[in-house]
Amino acid sequence: MDFANHMKSERFLIVHADDYGMCHTTNRAIMQLLDEGAVTSTTLMVNCPWSLEAAAAAAKSKYDVGVHLTLTSEWDRYKWGPVCHSSDVGSLVNELGHFPAASEPVVQSDPEQIRRELVAQIETALRMGVDPTHLDNHMGSLRPFMELYVDLCGMYRLPFRFRKNPQNRIGNEEEIARKADRSGILYPNEIVALPFYLEDGDDYAVTKQRAVDLLKGLKPGVTELVFHPSLDTEELKAITDTWQARRYEFDVFRDPEVQQVIRQEEIRLIGWRELRELQRQAG
């Protein structure tokens, strides 16, 4: 799709499923959504136990798949750690060799070890047969290391998940935007997301209405809409108490009424691949 000449006047949307490779249940959901065209992109966590299944399907089906750069492991009883040997990245892990559960401890890690691990994650995806379309980041753990994030995009000629005006600013967004712009690295005009947690009383109708409201509120340019779809199996229920929200999110962009809104609003669906190819053509 040629959209470069229409980016300022039309609304383009990347419907993006996070956490590909996290577990078998999530893989099944995301692969079905990609095959059906209900989502247009996903992003692989190479550190996770089911990443090999996810990568094999991506390589075979040519899915639009980025690398979900990961330095955290948030669930209580389902853990992962670095691709590098833990002795090479010791500041990134706990005594069991797992990443921390939250993003805050990452800022105390050795920056060179972070770089080493992230390069290893990208290289692992390539060795798995994945053709990455972009880079993004699990749980925002790279916010204190945005220059490194941009450097990695430059190394691999990939666009990245970033916005100039996030709700929670860290203060250097304009500087990072200038660096990315100078390097010819592309990023969306806007990023929106469905809530990670359900509030009391939230049901599928609430999730559906939130999705519809986001779609109707899109502005001209490229927007990435991020969510975390999955099936509601015993595996997922044992991993996370967010399982119900994830099941709703599996259903919502398959919903005929939501699909109808996309058509009525004349929203043009794209993947990250379109941004990557535009970036590489310019460079």
Side-chain angles (χ1 to χ4, degrees), residues 244-260:
Q244 184 64 81
R246 291 172 183 249
R247 174 65 206 212
Y248 290 160
E249 292 182 3
F250 171 75
D251 292 326
V252 70
F253 287 99
R254 306 174 72 236
D255 192 302
E257 293 183 18
V258 174
Q259 290 289 322
Q260 180 66 15

Side-chain angles (χ1 to χ4, degrees), residues 181-196:
D181 293 343
R182 286 195 301 268
S183 301
I185 296 167
L186 298 184
Y187 48 89
N189 299 97
E190 186 58 87
I191 301 168
V192 297
L194 292 175
F196 193 65

Side-chain angles (χ1 to χ4, degrees), residues 7 21 49 55 65-67 75-76 95 100 118 122 134 164 168 174 176 197 229 235 245 271 276 280:
M7 288 176 61
V65 180
V67 180
W75 311 121
D76 290 340
E95 65 278 6
L118 298 183
I122 299 168
H134 71 286
K164 289 183 180 180
N168 300 311
E174 292 298 328
I176 296 302
Y197 292 99
E235 178 193 36
R276 185 191 68 178
R280 291 181 175 180

Side-chain angles (χ1 to χ4, degrees), residues 17-54:
D18 259 4
D19 293 357
Y20 189 45
M22 185 188 84
C23 63
H24 177 57
T25 299
T26 295
N27 286 351
R28 287 171 54 203
I30 292 176
M31 286 186 280
Q32 181 175 339
L33 293 173
L34 286 164
D35 288 340
E36 293 176 348
V39 304
T40 59
S41 175
T42 189
T43 189
L44 176 66
M45 302 174 74
V46 302
N47 311 69
C48 290
W50 283 87
S51 61
L52 289 171
E53 176 189 59

Side-chain angles (χ1 to χ4, degrees), residues 2 11-12 15 34 36 68 75-76 81 123 134 144 148 161 170 201 206 212 218 220 230 240 259:
D2 177 18
R11 295 182 294 174
F12 295 89
V15 185
L34 286 164
E36 293 176 348
H68 202 43
W75 311 121
D76 290 340
E123 292 292 332
H134 71 286
L148 169 58
R161 178 181 291 163
I170 58 176
V206 171
V212 168
L218 294 181
S230 192
T240 171
Q259 290 289 322

Side-chain angles (χ1 to χ4, degrees), residues 104-272:
E104 289 78 11
V106 176
V107 74
Q108 306 297 328
S109 301
D110 182 331
E112 183 52 40
Q113 292 186 10
I114 291 176
R115 174 185 286 274
R116 184 181 305 147
E117 170 61 20
L118 298 183
V119 168
Q121 290 181 24
I122 299 168
E123 292 292 332
T124 297
L126 291 167
R127 288 196 298 273
M128 286 175 165
V130 174
D131 179 24
T133 56
H134 71 286
L135 299 179
D136 55 31
N137 175 221
H138 189 55
M139 296 177 63
S141 58
L142 283 181
R143 293 192 77 194
F145 303 96
M146 291 299 293
E147 290 196 11
L148 169 58
Y149 197 3
V150 177
D151 288 344
L152 293 172
C153 292
M155 286 173 58
Y156 291 94
R157 303 177 64 209
L158 296 173
F160 74 133
R161 178 181 291 163
F162 169 75
R163 55 182 169 181
K164 289 183 180 180
N165 298 298
Q167 289 184 340
N168 300 311
R169 297 180 63 86
I170 58 176
N172 66 343
E173 283 83 4
E174 292 298 328
E175 177 184 345
I176 296 302
R178 286 193 295 271
K179 180 172 182 176
D181 293 343
R182 286 195 301 268
S183 301
I185 296 167
L186 298 184
Y187 48 89
N189 299 97
E190 186 58 87
I191 301 168
V192 297
L194 292 175
F196 193 65
Y197 292 99
L198 297 175
E199 299 179 3
D200 289 343
D202 286 355
D203 56 11
Y204 174 70
V206 171
T207 298
K208 179 176 174 179
Q209 189 59 51
R210 285 172 175 156
V212 168
D213 291 344
L214 286 174
L215 291 170
K216 290 185 175 180
L218 294 181
K219 299 177 181 179
V222 176
T223 298
E224 183 191 30
L225 195 163
V226 182
F227 62 117
H228 301 82
S230 192
L231 302 176
D232 51 344
T233 65
E234 290 303 310
E235 178 193 36
L236 188 70
K237 292 177 183 179
I239 293 171
T240 171
D241 59 4
T242 67
W243 63 268
Q244 184 64 81
R246 291 172 183 249
R247 174 65 206 212
Y248 290 160
E249 292 182 3
F250 171 75
D251 292 326
V252 70
F253 287 99
R254 306 174 72 236
D255 192 302
E257 293 183 18
V258 174
Q259 290 289 322
Q260 180 66 15
V261 170
I262 292 173
R263 290 190 294 269
Q264 289 176 340
E265 293 289 314
E266 298 183 341
I267 296 167
R268 297 177 64 178
L269 300 184
I270 62 170
W272 277 96

